[in-house]
Amino acid sequence: MTDLIDLTIHEASASLTQGEFSAEELVLAHIKSIETQRDLNMFITETPEVAIQGARESDLRRSKGMALGCMDGIPVAVKDLFCTKGILTTAGSRILSNFVPTYESTITEKMNNAGAVLLGKSNLDEFAMGSSTTTSFYGSTINPWRSKKRVDLVPGGSSGGSAAAVAAQAAMGALGTDTGGSIRQPASFCGVVGLKPTYGRCSRWGIVAFASSLDQAGPITRSVHDAAIFLSAIAGYDAKDSTSVPVDPLDFEQSLYSGIKGMKFGIPKEYIVENMPAEITKLWEKGITWLEDRGAECMEVSLPHTKYALPAYYIIAPAEASSNLARYDGVRYGIREKGDTLDEMYQLTRAKGFGDEVQRRILVGTYVLSAGYYDAYYVKAQKVRTLIAEDFVKAFKKVEAILTPTTPSAAFCAKEKCNDPISMYLNDVFTVPASLAGLPGISVPGALDYNGLPLGLQLIGKPFEEETLLKAAQALEEGANFGRSTPKGLEV
Amino acid sequence: MSFDRKVVYNVANLARIRVAEENIDNLATELSAIIKWVEQLNEVDTYTVQAMNNVTNSTLPQRNDSVLDGGYPKDVLANAPESVDDYFTVPKVVE
């Protein structure tokens, strides 16, 4: 029999229906996988008891003919940014190191209602601010993929624990959040599929907020089909999130295999950046061929304001973060440092509770929002954001989706970039523009580089057209034939 | 505009983060580099462009002004570092 941890959600769900194994067996196999890979530091909190209990309930439902759907009995990881009732939720920060929510986020509640089983809360950059999962108070996560030189590499970030867990077969799928690339970039670095839905598609209620006009939850999975199953379970309007958009929920599996014949794809010329490794350019060209081989048409499009997306993002995101993170003041939750005055208590609590990168972003955000600089920085960035969004609107008059690389490099060594904030920010050069425009994007593993490390391709779609995006991603996945390349395959 | 020691000190005070004396110079260098880097936006002509603050272009939904949920003081206070009865407590504010 195939090892249970080798399966996709789609396959495992079919086998559960057939009674080939129980949800409890499936969950136990994953708990064992987590236990043997603790050196990768993928989880902040493991919840094996919750998982086994959930699996038994799932088996009981199934035995009565009341199974809930494809996610029933599927063991998953959840980024430790989603509030889970009665389970520690830290956001990777010392300031929330004792926070146990008394409520459940809408998305994790939807997952629970779909029968998914929680294996644990996965590691992340502190408050989701980062591209490497090295800024967590709970230590760095290590990428299960190792280069031929066998050095430890970052899994990307901020949803690095989620992506690593899916790649390492420690979870069948995982929830992440994406503000500027935090689902797509780690998915690319870990050789898995990462989907950021349209802004407003999934509820943000109960997710620890970073930059509210950009944050969006989404799935990390081992196949495009699994991404469609997962998204179907979590998408939908929620009255508790005023930016959630009331569109009809969809079954995203429905048109997954209907093909891309005649579909038009855009290749944005501005995404050719300096110093991009030749292998990434080559993969991008291959991606074009894979789409054309399946009857699609690829054409050049222009997104002229692309180079301004990153600087605009690094004004808007820190500004919103500085405002959102004002709530961590040692009064209602989290840690508190003693101070003689109220102000001193705030200052000492926040100095001790926040790490370096979070402090840096709060300071930048506070500066660009402060009197005298608001128009020069914040409003200016919002105007540039309008131009970036308009670039996409124009491009989407000619094409139905856009193909780009996901990242300008493969996974890097933790020591390489961590001392230079700006060089770290440049990692998100291909993912940030779609975030600013609120568009759905998906990273699909494309190939291994000369070092044996995965490289991803990104597809960007029109707002609320995830169905089309997933259909295109399915075609790309077939073309890439990345298959079941897993990190384990390297350790022969 | 670049960050000197005084600007770092003022911004940290606005953000209610106590910055250690020995870190101020280092922070001034880092934050100046970031601000200088984002200033490339000045190359873009935005004179006639509307600022975007909502990507979905929707107006915020309205609902009836009525209580839908609540009445759980124990839940609300469950994570409080310090509380007395049904109240959060803070250091003395009014002399």
Side-chain angles (χ1 to χ4, degrees):
Chain A
M1 193 167 92
T2 329
D3 200 336
L4 295 185
I5 59 172
D6 286 337
L7 300 171
T8 63
I9 295 173
H10 179 57
E11 291 163 346
S13 170
S15 299
L16 285 168
T17 307
Q18 294 296 317
E20 289 166 28
F21 48 78
S22 68
E24 187 169 344
E25 288 171 288
L26 185 64
V27 163
L28 288 173
H30 284 87
I31 291 173
K32 196 173 145 219
S33 176
I34 291 172
E35 285 171 351
T36 55
Q37 301 186 84
R38 287 208 177 106
D39 55 322
L40 300 179
N41 197 30
M42 298 183 288
F43 288 88
I44 292 174
T45 306
E46 293 173 17
T47 56
E49 302 85 1
V50 175
I52 292 167
Q53 177 67 26
R56 286 179 183 160
E57 286 167 14
S58 171
D59 286 332
L60 189 64
R61 272 194 301 273
R62 202 172 293 275
S63 72
K64 291 180 182 163
M66 293 164 70
L68 295 168
C70 290
M71 292 296 285
D72 201 350
I74 301 297
V76 297
V78 170
K79 187 179 188 178
D80 205 19
L81 201 66
F82 291 82
C83 286
T84 41
K85 189 174 180 178
I87 298 167
L88 184 70
T89 299
T90 69
S93 181
R94 183 177 206 170
I95 211 158
L96 284 177
S97 55
N98 57 2
F99 178 59
V100 180
T102 54
Y103 55 92
E104 188 79 24
S105 80
T106 297
I107 295 291
T108 49
E109 191 167 298
K110 275 174 170 280
M111 289 187 42
N112 294 340
N113 292 343
V117 168
L118 178 70
L119 289 165
K121 303 294 291 290
S122 47
N123 201 7
L124 68 158
D125 281 299
E126 186 181 3
F127 283 105
M129 296 179 196
S131 310
S132 58
T133 313
T134 54
T135 69
S136 169
F137 176 61
Y138 297 88
S140 301
T141 294
I142 296 165
N143 194 326
W145 293 83
R146 285 185 164 86
S147 72
K148 286 181 180 155
K149 291 176 193 153
R150 316 298 293 170
V151 290
D152 285 351
L153 302 168
V154 304
S158 64
S159 310
S162 291
V166 175
Q169 302 188 316
M172 304 202 78
L175 262 184
T177 63
D178 191 312
T179 303
S182 283
I183 287 175
R184 292 161 285 161
Q185 186 254 17
S188 177
F189 278 14
C190 293
V192 292
V193 174
L195 169 65
K196 183 200 91 81
T198 312
Y199 182 81
R201 172 68 87 180
C202 297
S203 170
R204 293 182 298 108
W205 195 83
I207 302 174
V208 175
F210 161 16
S212 303
S213 77
L214 296 157
D215 296 344
Q216 186 62 203
I220 296 174
T221 54
R222 286 201 286 270
S223 73
V224 171
H225 194 140
D226 283 3
I229 292 172
F230 211 127
L231 182 64
S232 301
I234 61 172
Y237 174 69
D238 178 16
K240 288 191 280 193
D241 172 4
S242 62
T243 60
S244 145
V245 176
V247 286
D248 289 336
L250 283 169
D251 175 2
F252 294 100
E253 282 179 86
Q254 220 161 41
S255 53
L256 202 53
Y257 297 99
S258 56
I260 55 166
K261 201 158 191 267
M263 206 175 145
K264 292 192 173 91
F265 288 85
I267 312 299
K269 58 182 181 189
E270 291 82 4
Y271 279 55
I272 300 163
V273 297
E274 255 180 273
N275 302 326
M276 189 155 78
E279 282 185 293
I280 290 183
T281 314
K282 212 171 98 191
L283 172 63
W284 197 5
E285 284 161 4
K286 273 192 197 159
I288 295 170
T289 311
W290 294 331
L291 296 173
E292 287 176 343
D293 285 350
R294 281 158 186 79
E297 192 186 333
C298 294
M299 61 186 74
E300 187 180 279
V301 291
S302 177
L303 301 166
H305 296 91
T306 298
K307 74 175 270 211
Y308 300 109
L310 270 181
Y313 175 85
Y314 276 98
I315 292 174
I316 292 166
E320 294 184 12
S322 74
S323 170
N324 270 324
L325 271 59
R327 73 190 68 179
Y328 304 105
D329 56 5
V331 175
R332 290 165 298 162
Y333 29 65
I335 63 160
R336 171 188 287 197
E337 283 291 287
K338 288 249 178 288
D340 287 339
T341 63
L342 186 60
D343 267 336
E344 193 179 66
M345 183 201 85
Y346 292 155
Q347 289 172 335
L348 296 174
T349 297
R350 289 162 66 79
K352 183 173 182 181
F354 294 137
D356 288 346
E357 179 61 18
V358 172
Q359 291 195 22
R360 198 153 36 224
R361 294 206 197 183
I362 290 175
L363 294 176
V364 168
T366 304
Y367 178 75
V368 299
L369 289 177
S370 62
Y373 300 108
Y374 184 85
D375 287 330
Y377 294 103
Y378 187 61
V379 176
K380 180 80 186 182
Q382 285 185 310
K383 288 181 173 179
V384 173
R385 185 176 183 181
T386 301
L387 293 172
I388 288 161
E390 284 174 359
D391 283 354
F392 280 106
V393 171
K394 282 178 203 151
F396 281 132
K397 283 185 179 147
K398 293 204 286 185
V399 299
E400 288 151 274
I402 289 169
L403 177 74
T404 79
T406 309
T407 57
S409 76
F412 47 85
C413 164
K415 290 186 196 85
E416 255 174 77
K417 297 187 182 185
C418 294
N419 296 325
D420 176 9
I422 293 175
S423 123
M424 187 67 96
Y425 297 169
L426 295 178
N427 252 292
D428 299 327
V429 62
F430 299 141
T431 48
V432 152
S435 296
L436 287 171
L439 302 171
I442 187 167
S443 178
V444 177
L448 298 179
D449 74 358
Y450 72 100
N451 236 333
L453 297 174
L455 298 171
L457 283 170
Q458 174 182 232
L459 285 164
I460 301 168
K462 295 180 185 176
F464 298 102
E465 294 198 8
E466 283 88 347
E467 222 179 337
T468 309
L469 186 70
L470 284 160
K471 183 173 76 177
Q474 177 63 38
L476 199 61
E477 183 178 74
E478 285 163 16
N481 196 19
F482 190 79
R484 298 297 166 78
S485 304
T486 63
K488 276 204 295 189
L490 290 178
E491 288 169 16
V492 181
Chain B
M1 173 72 203
S2 66
F3 274 78
D4 56 22
R5 290 178 61 87
K6 191 160 165 262
V7 177
V8 172
Y9 183 81
N10 285 342
V11 172
N13 191 41
L14 283 173
R16 297 294 187 272
I17 296 175
R18 177 72 55 88
V19 177
E21 189 58 35
E22 64 267 25
N23 289 340
I24 290 187
D25 286 327
N26 192 23
L27 267 174
T29 312
E30 276 180 2
L31 298 178
S32 294
I34 293 170
I35 292 296
K36 186 163 171 275
W37 175 68
V38 300
E39 279 175 354
Q40 54 178 301
L41 293 189
N42 293 334
E43 296 165 18
V44 188
D45 179 4
T46 53
Y47 190 68
T48 58
V49 181
Q50 285 279 325
M52 173 188 277
N53 47 33
N54 180 350
V55 77
T56 53
N57 296 318
S58 55
T59 48
L60 285 178
Q62 307 263 313
R63 64 170 173 81
N64 290 334
D65 186 14
S66 55
V67 176
L68 301 176
D69 198 6
Y72 326 113
K74 292 284 172 286
D75 279 1
V76 172
L77 289 162
N79 282 287
E82 284 176 27
S83 61
V84 173
D85 299 328
D86 282 352
Y87 296 93
F88 296 107
T89 59
V90 294
K92 194 172 173 185
V93 179
V94 183
E95 291 300 325

